[in-house]
Amino acid sequence: MTPLEDAQEFVLGQCPPQQPIEVDRRMAGGLVLAEPVVSAEIVPPFDNTAVDGYAVLAADVATAAQSPVDLIVAGEIAAGAAPDRPLASGEAIRIMTGAPLPAGSDAVVMVEDSERLGVDGDGTERVRLSASVPVGAAVRRAGDDVKVGDEMFPAGTRVTPAVEAVLASVNAQTVVAYPRLRVAVLSTGDELIDDGSPLELGQIRESNKTMLIGMVAEAGCEVVDLGVVRDDETELENVLRSAALECDAIVSSGGVSMGDYDVVKAVLGRIADMTWMQMAIKPAKPFAFGTLERADGTPVPIFGLPGNPVSSLVSFELMARPAMRRMMGHSRLTRTSLVAVADEGFQRGVDGKVHFARVNGEFGDDGRYHVRPVSAQGSHQLSATASADAMAVIPDGEGLPAGADVAVLLLADLA
Ligand code: AMP
Ligand code: MG
């Protein structure tokens, strides 16, 4: 049996990051930057006010906190408008958040510290200000967020919604990123029914492909659904060859275990460079990995996952997902792992394998993550695993007693 780490290292070694491309910023969400983003603009683009209030000269309101100061309201500037005149001593200009600070003023008094005095007979409006503010108060200086030439995001940054927003704010139209992986998903087996028709003896409903399509999409890839392929060599070969032409990776479920009727093995063995593994883990011991050469010489990775649904899920999590993330330029390949408390014991026997028990977990008042196994742990019992939060890593041996520390690998973000 191959230790999991060796199998992972072998697979990752053959799944290097893809060639970076220039991507429209609007299409870059979720991708990883392959080159740093350097700003060609400053943010904010001009000195502006952080509050609604009155632009003033700080010196004019130096004593306003002790005794309020009346100033002439010399105009009003809304966000989006440009000041039409500079401010002179003795004046205030009413100003809205985000509006440019008028020349001549050096601070803003909040509207909360003002009282409108109305308009005189000669048409002069006055305001009473009751706060003293230092020079620069409530002023956001041009370029105090981003300067021209600033490296905002280094290579390796994932484009989150906030990163997208910053790219928009500096008018970056394109970024250089690792492309989204296009992944073909298929399931194999004569017993699989996916059209809703009544089951005959020996037939079961297809479920792995449905799951894997979602998991591939959740990993940030584009999915190409290749459907259910019968245990027929010609059909399987045709499907795989055309998948290799239009996709960057292929995920297939079924037909990789020892005792399998050898259609998948025969076809992959013939058209791809495959390694058939027995990994020292439970579930998901059988696993196949290889590459199928495209006409242009590009090796297209193929992940041959076992057919048992739970094994398929675990195999995808441990083997396929990290490799796909590497191809998309991510540096953190695995899910969040943490040391949890086993609220129940984990019984197991010595078998040379690491067991991945599916668990539910929650944070306790002690600040620690507490886990217990889901009710059913069989590799065909997907319904219990479907509601699991994490996998507990139980090393080879006699198991763990209740209360013990246990390493867990989250299966999704903490809800
Ligand atoms: P295999 O890996 O092809 O030997 O399949 C192992 C077990 O998983 C068998 O019980 C299959 O019927 C079942 N199985 C294989 N593929 C699927 C699938 N796509 N959906 C649900 N069960 C499957
Ligand atoms: Mg099969």
mmCIF file of all heavy atoms in Angstrom, residues 386-411:
data_model
loop_
_atom_site.group_PDB
_atom_site.id
_atom_site.type_symbol
_atom_site.label_atom_id
_atom_site.label_comp_id
_atom_site.label_asym_id
_atom_site.label_seq_id
_atom_site.Cartn_x
_atom_site.Cartn_y
_atom_site.Cartn_z
ATOM 1 N N ALA A 386 -22.876 12.722 3.873
ATOM 2 C CA ALA A 386 -23.305 13.971 3.222
ATOM 3 C C ALA A 386 -23.506 15.100 4.217
ATOM 4 O O ALA A 386 -23.383 16.264 3.867
ATOM 5 C CB ALA A 386 -24.577 13.730 2.426
ATOM 6 N N SER A 387 -23.831 14.757 5.461
ATOM 7 C CA SER A 387 -24.049 15.821 6.452
ATOM 8 C C SER A 387 -22.834 16.024 7.363
ATOM 9 O O SER A 387 -22.915 16.751 8.351
ATOM 10 C CB SER A 387 -25.276 15.481 7.303
ATOM 11 O OG SER A 387 -25.041 14.275 7.994
ATOM 12 N N ALA A 388 -21.710 15.387 7.014
ATOM 13 C CA ALA A 388 -20.507 15.539 7.849
ATOM 14 C C ALA A 388 -19.887 16.919 7.648
ATOM 15 O O ALA A 388 -20.016 17.528 6.593
ATOM 16 C CB ALA A 388 -19.490 14.457 7.498
ATOM 17 N N ASP A 389 -19.232 17.406 8.700
ATOM 18 C CA ASP A 389 -18.547 18.694 8.638
ATOM 19 C C ASP A 389 -17.063 18.528 8.336
ATOM 20 O O ASP A 389 -16.412 19.448 7.859
ATOM 21 C CB ASP A 389 -18.657 19.429 9.987
ATOM 22 C CG ASP A 389 -20.101 19.666 10.385
ATOM 23 O OD1 ASP A 389 -20.832 20.277 9.589
ATOM 24 O OD2 ASP A 389 -20.502 19.213 11.487
ATOM 25 N N ALA A 390 -16.537 17.374 8.706
ATOM 26 C CA ALA A 390 -15.088 17.215 8.661
ATOM 27 C C ALA A 390 -14.739 15.736 8.622
ATOM 28 O O ALA A 390 -15.610 14.870 8.778
ATOM 29 C CB ALA A 390 -14.464 17.860 9.902
ATOM 30 N N MET A 391 -13.456 15.469 8.404
ATOM 31 C CA MET A 391 -12.960 14.097 8.510
ATOM 32 C C MET A 391 -11.934 14.074 9.637
ATOM 33 O O MET A 391 -11.033 14.928 9.678
ATOM 34 C CB MET A 391 -12.278 13.669 7.209
ATOM 35 C CG MET A 391 -13.212 13.667 6.012
ATOM 36 S SD MET A 391 -12.504 12.816 4.588
ATOM 37 C CE MET A 391 -11.270 13.995 4.056
ATOM 38 N N ALA A 392 -12.100 13.123 10.543
ATOM 39 C CA ALA A 392 -11.124 12.969 11.619
ATOM 40 C C ALA A 392 -10.067 11.980 11.140
ATOM 41 O O ALA A 392 -10.386 10.945 10.553
ATOM 42 C CB ALA A 392 -11.808 12.448 12.880
ATOM 43 N N VAL A 393 -8.819 12.329 11.383
ATOM 44 C CA VAL A 393 -7.716 11.499 10.908
ATOM 45 C C VAL A 393 -7.309 10.566 12.045
ATOM 46 O O VAL A 393 -6.730 10.996 13.043
ATOM 47 C CB VAL A 393 -6.524 12.384 10.483
ATOM 48 C CG1 VAL A 393 -5.425 11.544 9.866
ATOM 49 C CG2 VAL A 393 -6.994 13.484 9.525
ATOM 50 N N ILE A 394 -7.652 9.274 11.891
ATOM 51 C CA ILE A 394 -7.366 8.305 12.952
ATOM 52 C C ILE A 394 -6.181 7.445 12.506
ATOM 53 O O ILE A 394 -6.320 6.617 11.599
ATOM 54 C CB ILE A 394 -8.586 7.385 13.226
ATOM 55 C CG1 ILE A 394 -9.895 8.197 13.255
ATOM 56 C CG2 ILE A 394 -8.379 6.593 14.522
ATOM 57 C CD1 ILE A 394 -9.989 9.224 14.363
ATOM 58 N N PRO A 395 -5.015 7.654 13.125
ATOM 59 C CA PRO A 395 -3.826 6.906 12.683
ATOM 60 C C PRO A 395 -3.964 5.410 12.936
ATOM 61 O O PRO A 395 -4.799 4.992 13.749
ATOM 62 C CB PRO A 395 -2.689 7.506 13.511
ATOM 63 C CG PRO A 395 -3.305 8.374 14.539
ATOM 64 C CD PRO A 395 -4.761 8.538 14.257
ATOM 65 N N ASP A 396 -3.148 4.629 12.239
ATOM 66 C CA ASP A 396 -3.200 3.177 12.408
ATOM 67 C C ASP A 396 -2.974 2.832 13.885
ATOM 68 O O ASP A 396 -2.161 3.462 14.549
ATOM 69 C CB ASP A 396 -2.109 2.524 11.544
ATOM 70 C CG ASP A 396 -2.348 1.025 11.415
ATOM 71 O OD1 ASP A 396 -3.489 0.578 11.660
ATOM 72 O OD2 ASP A 396 -1.391 0.309 11.041
ATOM 73 N N GLY A 397 -3.746 1.888 14.382
ATOM 74 C CA GLY A 397 -3.631 1.509 15.790
ATOM 75 C C GLY A 397 -4.983 1.092 16.321
ATOM 76 O O GLY A 397 -5.854 0.674 15.565
ATOM 77 N N GLU A 398 -5.152 1.278 17.630
ATOM 78 C CA GLU A 398 -6.368 0.793 18.292
ATOM 79 C C GLU A 398 -7.443 1.871 18.417
ATOM 80 O O GLU A 398 -8.416 1.717 19.133
ATOM 81 C CB GLU A 398 -6.040 0.257 19.692
ATOM 82 C CG GLU A 398 -5.008 -0.873 19.734
ATOM 83 C CD GLU A 398 -5.554 -2.184 19.148
ATOM 84 O OE1 GLU A 398 -6.779 -2.281 18.917
ATOM 85 O OE2 GLU A 398 -4.728 -3.097 18.923
ATOM 86 N N GLY A 399 -7.231 3.014 17.789
ATOM 87 C CA GLY A 399 -8.241 4.070 17.867
ATOM 88 C C GLY A 399 -7.926 5.084 18.940
ATOM 89 O O GLY A 399 -6.824 5.102 19.489
ATOM 90 N N LEU A 400 -8.906 5.936 19.231
ATOM 91 C CA LEU A 400 -8.697 7.027 20.187
ATOM 92 C C LEU A 400 -9.809 7.005 21.224
ATOM 93 O O LEU A 400 -10.975 6.790 20.889
ATOM 94 C CB LEU A 400 -8.734 8.385 19.460
ATOM 95 C CG LEU A 400 -7.660 8.649 18.405
ATOM 96 C CD1 LEU A 400 -7.973 9.954 17.663
ATOM 97 C CD2 LEU A 400 -6.285 8.729 19.057
ATOM 98 N N PRO A 401 -9.465 7.261 22.499
ATOM 99 C CA PRO A 401 -10.506 7.313 23.528
ATOM 100 C C PRO A 401 -11.255 8.649 23.494
ATOM 101 O O PRO A 401 -10.735 9.628 22.956
ATOM 102 C CB PRO A 401 -9.708 7.189 24.827
ATOM 103 C CG PRO A 401 -8.371 7.765 24.506
ATOM 104 C CD PRO A 401 -8.110 7.470 23.047
ATOM 105 N N ALA A 402 -12.445 8.647 24.076
ATOM 106 C CA ALA A 402 -13.189 9.912 24.203
ATOM 107 C C ALA A 402 -12.327 10.911 24.968
ATOM 108 O O ALA A 402 -11.629 10.534 25.922
ATOM 109 C CB ALA A 402 -14.502 9.674 24.936
ATOM 110 N N GLY A 403 -12.353 12.162 24.556
ATOM 111 C CA GLY A 403 -11.574 13.200 25.228
ATOM 112 C C GLY A 403 -10.214 13.435 24.601
ATOM 113 O O GLY A 403 -9.550 14.423 24.922
ATOM 114 N N ALA A 404 -9.807 12.522 23.709
ATOM 115 C CA ALA A 404 -8.472 12.664 23.113
ATOM 116 C C ALA A 404 -8.446 13.784 22.085
ATOM 117 O O ALA A 404 -9.480 14.161 21.535
ATOM 118 C CB ALA A 404 -8.067 11.349 22.438
ATOM 119 N N ASP A 405 -7.250 14.323 21.844
ATOM 120 C CA ASP A 405 -7.052 15.260 20.732
ATOM 121 C C ASP A 405 -7.088 14.468 19.432
ATOM 122 O O ASP A 405 -6.543 13.371 19.366
ATOM 123 C CB ASP A 405 -5.684 15.942 20.838
ATOM 124 C CG ASP A 405 -5.682 17.095 21.832
ATOM 125 O OD1 ASP A 405 -6.762 17.374 22.413
ATOM 126 O OD2 ASP A 405 -4.612 17.697 22.030
ATOM 127 N N VAL A 406 -7.718 15.046 18.418
ATOM 128 C CA VAL A 406 -7.760 14.363 17.125
ATOM 129 C C VAL A 406 -7.631 15.402 16.013
ATOM 130 O O VAL A 406 -8.228 16.484 16.079
ATOM 131 C CB VAL A 406 -9.071 13.523 16.989
ATOM 132 C CG1 VAL A 406 -10.325 14.384 17.120
ATOM 133 C CG2 VAL A 406 -9.094 12.770 15.659
ATOM 134 N N ALA A 407 -6.799 15.076 15.019
ATOM 135 C CA ALA A 407 -6.638 15.996 13.878
ATOM 136 C C ALA A 407 -7.853 15.853 12.974
ATOM 137 O O ALA A 407 -8.299 14.738 12.705
ATOM 138 C CB ALA A 407 -5.373 15.642 13.104
ATOM 139 N N VAL A 408 -8.405 16.975 12.546
ATOM 140 C CA VAL A 408 -9.521 16.909 11.607
ATOM 141 C C VAL A 408 -9.242 17.819 10.412
ATOM 142 O O VAL A 408 -8.533 18.812 10.507
ATOM 143 C CB VAL A 408 -10.893 17.298 12.234
ATOM 144 C CG1 VAL A 408 -11.233 16.420 13.400
ATOM 145 C CG2 VAL A 408 -10.928 18.765 12.614
ATOM 146 N N LEU A 409 -9.834 17.406 9.299
ATOM 147 C CA LEU A 409 -9.743 18.154 8.050
ATOM 148 C C LEU A 409 -11.159 18.592 7.727
ATOM 149 O O LEU A 409 -12.044 17.751 7.548
ATOM 150 C CB LEU A 409 -9.240 17.171 6.988
ATOM 151 C CG LEU A 409 -8.461 17.652 5.788
ATOM 152 C CD1 LEU A 409 -7.266 18.483 6.192
ATOM 153 C CD2 LEU A 409 -8.011 16.427 4.983
ATOM 154 N N LEU A 410 -11.372 19.897 7.721
ATOM 155 C CA LEU A 410 -12.736 20.375 7.451
ATOM 156 C C LEU A 410 -13.131 20.028 6.014
ATOM 157 O O LEU A 410 -12.305 20.045 5.110
ATOM 158 C CB LEU A 410 -12.817 21.882 7.666
ATOM 159 C CG LEU A 410 -12.510 22.368 9.076
ATOM 160 C CD1 LEU A 410 -12.716 23.884 9.174
ATOM 161 C CD2 LEU A 410 -13.382 21.654 10.114
ATOM 162 N N LEU A 411 -14.399 19.727 5.837
ATOM 163 C CA LEU A 411 -14.888 19.412 4.501
ATOM 164 C C LEU A 411 -15.495 20.631 3.806
ATOM 165 O O LEU A 411 -15.790 20.596 2.616
ATOM 166 C CB LEU A 411 -15.946 18.302 4.555
ATOM 167 C CG LEU A 411 -15.389 16.896 4.788
ATOM 168 C CD1 LEU A 411 -16.490 15.901 5.092
ATOM 169 C CD2 LEU A 411 -14.587 16.441 3.575
#
